[in-house]
Amino acid sequence: MADLVRRQVDVIVVTGTRETIAAKQATSSIPIVTFLHPDLIGAGLAQSLARPGGNLTGLTTLDTDLYGKRLEILKQAVPNLTKAGVLVSGRQPSYGRGSPWEQALRAAAHSLKIELEITEADESNLESVLDSLAARGQQGLIVTSDGIYVAQAKVLAERTIKHRLPAMFVYRQQVQDGGLMAYAARTPDLSRRAAFFVDRIIRGAKPADLPIEQPTHFELIINLKTAKVLGLDLPATLLAQADEVIE
């Protein structure tokens, strides 16, 4: 980011949380467009959706608001689910302990009669954390949004299958790599829409005057092959909800 500032670029386009924070720390004058941040307002990166203020605008994924829905979908896949693990990255501040995200997720879990175990994991201890969760009798897994879990998608898929641990992910790629399910806003839609903001800024608009947009379409991806390996007979009503079923 410091190098981009030195080059005096016209716009900086960023994806996730760490990139957005780094850009904001690097410059308060060069326009920034972000499109994969889960909660720009909660992170203090924008004043409001309608009037972002400052030099940043773009799109939010609304990811922090989706975990109750993800847990609900996982419960449909595993009707006897009463204990679930949740993987969070220590590098992702949006999913901190005691945060509004955790409070909302625990409230959703309580209504579904599911006991949660929230555990930090990264590339250094991912396999051992999954082994421990399985040893403690977890019946399902929620994997939060973080680049490390995309990079380690195949490891996550292999380990969850080994422990017969049905898992809900965020990104399509994680399901393509063998994960059971994913539910989120469509990343290609968000990235294409980001070009609209870049165009407006190049034409003279100020980021502070361009409202932050929220996704309008969310997709459910199911890997039926993984479901069969896990011994899950997914209900027809759940499969009917899926935007894509990988066989």
Side-chain angles (χ1 to χ4, degrees), residues 34 87 96 137 147 155 160 207 224 237 242 244:
T34 181
L87 290 188
V155 173
T160 52
L224 200 56
T237 52
E244 181 180 348

Side-chain angles (χ1 to χ4, degrees), residues 2-130:
D3 181 59
L4 292 176
V5 172
R6 281 194 298 270
R7 292 168 184 263
Q8 296 183 333
V9 297
D10 295 314
V11 184
I12 298 175
V13 181
V14 291
T15 51
T17 301
R18 290 187 290 279
E19 296 86 350
T20 305
I21 292 172
K24 281 291 286 182
Q25 290 175 342
T27 178
S28 59
S29 57
I30 296 175
I32 300 167
V33 174
T34 181
F35 63 93
L36 280 181
H37 194 286
D39 184 10
L40 291 165
I41 310 303
L45 295 169
Q47 295 175 11
S48 70
L49 295 178
R51 302 285 295 178
N55 62 321
L56 179 144
T57 188
L59 302 101
T60 173
T61 62
L62 288 181
D63 194 75
T64 52
D65 297 329
L66 299 180
Y67 286 90
K69 178 67 173 178
R70 291 184 178 125
L71 197 58
E72 179 185 319
I73 295 171
L74 187 59
K75 179 79 171 181
Q76 291 180 53
V78 189
N80 63 345
L81 181 70
T82 58
K83 297 176 66 179
V86 181
L87 290 188
V88 297
S89 167
R91 308 167 190 171
Q92 176 54 274
S94 296
Y95 307 111
R97 295 299 178 91
S99 65
W101 164 80
E102 182 184 1
Q103 295 170 21
L105 178 58
R106 289 198 181 279
H110 180 75
S111 67
L112 293 167
K113 296 181 171 56
I114 298 173
E115 179 184 341
L116 295 182
E117 180 179 351
I118 300 176
T119 306
E120 282 193 18
D122 58 30
E123 65 272 30
S124 68
N125 65 346
L126 187 56
E127 293 187 14
S128 62
V129 165
L130 290 171

Side-chain angles (χ1 to χ4, degrees), residues 153-181:
K154 289 186 177 179
V155 173
L156 278 162
E158 291 169 359
R159 217 67 177 184
T160 52
I161 289 173
K162 173 186 175 181
H163 292 302
R164 301 180 72 82
L165 199 62
M168 168 62 79
F169 294 87
V170 174
Y171 298 107
R172 172 193 294 264
Q173 176 187 329
Q174 294 167 307
V175 180
Q176 291 173 330
D177 284 341
L180 176 61
M181 297 186 294

